[in-house]
Amino acid sequence: MSRPPTPRAILFDWDGTLVDNWPVIHRALNDTLVRFGHQPWTLVETMERISRSQRDSFPLIFGDDWEEARDHFYRRFTERHLVDLVVLPGAGDMLESLATSGIWIGVVSNKRGDFLRREAAHLRWERFFGRIIGATDAVEDKPSAAPVKLALADTAFGPTPEVWFIGDSATDVETARNAGCTAVLVRQEGGNPMPLPDGLEADLVVDGLRALPGLVRSHRDSI
């Protein structure tokens, strides 16, 4: 595999990459599953099965009741999503380091856009990001390239290998591939346990967020 180019812009996934909101998602989802006659899931099952957006995953789980299930889920999720939001180790310092280096940074997530932007505001992280795109903001959600193109619209950057897409799941790697970006997989302790499927490979793999600024610098210094 050839060495990926130096990033001119970086797009981050959100849940499991920069923050941990999975316990809140898990509780709200299990409450919804039970409410609609399903067995509850383990936390690992939730992390494995809900990396795609709700408008893609809920119809498969809840069938014709998916919109009612969606509304029930969000009522429960809203109760705790800010209170129990946890920043992953090194995330704040890493974002500060990348922002001061002059790299354009954005977010593309499968969390619904209004909740995503509310969480970024709660953390006072809006200053880091040129664009924050969530589920339903674009015509399609990840792994489609549509939200990547929307995030980069009106910037100097197109979806090319000079844009790094950083996430923790197969959906994120697929998104990078579909958009023509460099796929960077970040491995967090206790993070997404689902391995990449056969035939899907990241361009770069990094252990934890604290290593990312050094990885970016190493690519810049090699020019």
Side-chain angles (χ1 to χ4, degrees):
M1 182 182 297
S2 61
R3 182 179 176 85
T6 300
R8 299 182 62 223
I10 293 176
L11 293 171
F12 284 96
D13 172 50
W14 188 252
D15 288 298
T17 299
L18 297 176
V19 303
D20 183 5
N21 218 193
W22 279 115
V24 183
I25 295 169
H26 179 60
R27 287 194 298 268
L29 180 63
N30 270 349
D31 188 86
T32 306
L33 286 167
V34 172
R35 165 71 175 78
F36 286 85
H38 298 268
Q39 291 296 313
W41 294 352
T42 66
L43 179 58
V44 170
E45 287 173 327
T46 298
M47 294 172 72
E48 289 179 345
R49 298 175 183 178
I50 306 295
S51 63
R52 295 186 181 244
S53 71
Q54 198 172 66
R55 67 175 167 181
D56 290 335
S57 61
F58 264 43
L60 299 177
I61 300 168
F62 297 102
D64 292 340
D65 294 327
W66 80 269
E67 292 176 305
E68 186 180 352
R70 173 201 61 197
D71 295 342
H72 182 85
F73 169 87
Y74 278 125
R75 283 194 293 271
R76 296 306 310 273
F77 177 72
T78 303
E79 296 170 359
R80 302 294 303 181
H81 84 111
L82 295 180
V83 176
D84 293 340
L85 184 67
V86 174
V87 174
L88 287 170
D93 290 342
M94 178 272 299
L95 291 172
E96 188 77 54
S97 176
L98 292 180
T100 56
S101 74
I103 295 177
W104 187 92
I105 305 171
V107 172
V108 174
S109 170
N110 270 346
K111 174 171 278 176
R112 205 173 77 186
D114 53 344
F115 287 99
L116 176 65
R117 289 181 283 274
R118 203 174 302 164
E119 290 177 13
H122 175 74
L123 297 174
R124 299 181 180 178
W125 280 2
E126 310 107 300
R127 61 193 175 95
F128 294 131
F129 303 122
R131 205 78 183 269
I132 300 174
I133 298 299
T136 75
D137 288 337
V139 293
E140 295 177 318
D141 303 319
K142 295 189 306 181
S144 167
V148 172
K149 293 177 180 178
L150 180 60
L152 297 174
D154 302 321
T155 73
F157 317 107
T160 71
E162 291 183 324
V163 176
W164 286 13
F165 195 104
I166 300 177
D168 69 314
S169 72
T171 298
D172 297 316
V173 177
E174 287 181 57
T175 303
R177 289 282 169 263
N178 290 337
C181 299
T182 292
V184 182
L185 185 67
V186 60
R187 293 294 192 190
Q188 313 271 17
E189 184 176 350
N192 195 321
M194 190 172 181
L196 297 182
D198 291 344
L200 186 65
E201 187 176 356
D203 297 300
L204 296 166
V205 179
V206 61
D207 290 322
L209 297 173
R210 292 188 178 94
L212 276 171
L215 181 65
V216 171
R217 282 194 300 272
S218 72
H219 277 69
R220 283 188 156 183
D221 292 344
S222 68
I223 298 175

